[in-house]
Amino acid sequence: MEIPVFIVDAFTSLPFKGNPAAVCLLKHELSDELYQTIAAEMNLSETVFVTAINSEDFTKGSRFRLRWFTPTNEVNLCGHATLASAAVLFHHKKNVNSAVVFETKSGDLSVVQQGEDLVMDFPLNPPTKQDPDDFRHLIKVAVGDHPVKDVYLSSTTKKLLLRLADTCDRSVLTSLTVNPAALLSSDTSGRVKGLIVTLKGSPDGQPAYDFYSRYYSPWNGIPEDPVCGSAHTVLGSYWSKELGKRKMRAFQCSSRGGELELEVRDDGRLNIAGKSFTVLRGTITL
């Protein structure tokens, strides 16, 4: 069996920036065990499997099945690998449709081309305010003695959001060193599967960003996710209310870095837009 594979850097227009995803194009479904084995071999934050529905044609088809795997387990939602999948279909397979729809564990997700950007139609996951004392150990492990202004939890995605105080600047966020093993052991309740650390941006800066973030998920085998689309379904909801804005520009401050354009829609969903760069094309032989 030969499986076409692409490694696409998402949420960037440059190679070796943004978040890399391995995109595998399948003519038919494989076993869950094989999906997981391939994802472990790729060893990226996500490997995504795209399967054509009722057709083997990736150029003319408009609906596809999508499943996302980290090196250790399957996840229910992944933004950067969805964007990467659409990039392969539109840019490499020259898909003729104005939009493609992916059937996923989070429902139907559509992606359209808009100039140089790909725009994803994603769910919005509003978090709820938490008592910081309930996560005291986790907060200490994550940010040390830096002041925390807000603690919110998205029960749907199991992502915990920590907002640093506005007295902190971007350098505080970029200089954080989080021990993934310590973070993993800091919460074993099952309530948390990912940690967002965020900070108000500099809308008057050059370039201007409404907020910054970093994202850690050792619970899913990902010490740090370079640019996480699903985390922005939580961040988009939180910052839209805090800033009183529907359209926002975000930057994830990992060492690779990545940029996202967000729009909270009237129907309660979220548009996430970004660019991509394909760094590898190849074949998996089994």
Side-chain angles (χ1 to χ4, degrees):
M1 183 194 308
E2 292 189 340
I3 300 171
V5 60
F6 301 76
I7 294 181
V8 179
D9 292 340
F11 300 121
T12 181
S13 58
L14 301 172
F16 315 123
K17 298 291 185 182
N19 199 354
V23 181
C24 300
L25 301 182
L26 302 176
K27 293 181 179 180
H28 54 79
E29 298 280 356
L30 305 177
S31 69
D32 287 6
E33 182 182 8
L34 187 51
Y35 286 141
Q36 191 61 72
T37 302
I38 293 171
E41 181 79 4
M42 294 295 99
N43 200 32
L44 297 173
S45 57
E46 262 87 14
T47 296
V48 58
F49 299 93
V50 185
T51 308
I53 298 175
N54 302 324
S55 169
E56 295 183 356
D57 194 338
F58 291 98
T59 300
K60 295 180 181 178
S62 62
R63 294 186 70 88
F64 304 88
R65 290 193 184 92
L66 212 61
R67 293 179 70 179
W68 309 280
F69 287 77
T70 78
T72 62
N73 58 275
E74 186 172 11
V75 295
N76 291 329
L77 183 65
C78 176
H80 84 278
T82 304
L83 188 140
S85 300
V88 168
L89 293 175
F90 284 128
H91 300 159
H92 298 288
K93 292 301 177 180
K94 307 299 181 187
N95 193 282
V96 298
N97 296 285
S98 59
V100 292
V101 178
F102 297 118
E103 297 180 4
T104 79
K105 289 195 170 186
S106 291
D108 285 1
L109 305 176
S110 67
V111 185
V112 300
Q113 293 190 87
Q114 193 173 88
E116 294 182 358
D117 286 349
L118 293 170
V119 183
M120 303 185 293
D121 171 1
F122 261 45
L124 196 63
N125 289 301
T128 55
K129 194 173 182 64
Q130 304 293 307
D131 183 347
D133 284 343
D134 291 345
F135 300 96
R136 184 170 59 254
H137 183 43
L138 187 153
I139 293 170
K140 181 70 173 179
V141 168
V143 301
D145 294 325
H146 293 300
V148 172
K149 180 173 182 176
D150 274 337
V151 179
Y152 276 69
L153 178 67
S154 164
S155 57
T156 305
T157 64
K158 296 188 176 182
K159 289 173 170 48
L160 186 71
L161 182 153
L162 306 182
R163 175 184 174 179
L164 296 176
D166 294 346
T167 52
C168 299
D169 62 18
R170 179 174 167 176
S171 66
V172 171
L173 192 57
T174 57
S175 63
L176 281 182
T177 302
V178 178
N179 182 321
L183 189 61
L184 185 60
S185 62
S186 69
D187 186 276
T188 56
S189 67
R191 287 184 298 168
V192 178
K193 294 293 185 182
L195 173 68
I196 301 165
V197 185
T198 188
L199 181 69
K200 188 176 181 179
S202 306
D204 298 324
Q206 291 296 328
Y209 295 108
D210 291 291
F211 64 88
Y212 304 111
S213 68
R214 290 179 72 177
Y215 180 67
Y216 308 90
S217 189
W219 299 270
N220 287 308
I222 306 167
E224 180 173 6
D225 198 323
V227 194
C228 182
S230 64
H232 283 78
T233 67
V234 181
L235 285 160
S237 175
Y238 173 82
W239 282 111
S240 177
K241 292 176 181 176
E242 287 292 306
L243 301 173
K245 299 179 70 173
R246 285 186 171 269
K247 292 186 177 181
M248 295 164 288
R249 191 182 192 195
F251 188 81
Q252 192 156 330
C253 299
S254 64
S255 59
R256 294 175 65 100
E259 187 175 291
L260 309 88
E261 301 281 349
L262 308 177
E263 182 177 3
V264 177
R265 299 181 350 201
D266 290 336
D267 63 358
R269 290 181 66 83
L270 179 72
N271 285 346
I272 304 177
K275 297 178 173 59
S276 68
F277 192 99
T278 301
V279 295
L280 182 146
R281 299 176 64 177
T283 305
I284 297 172
T285 305
L286 302 174

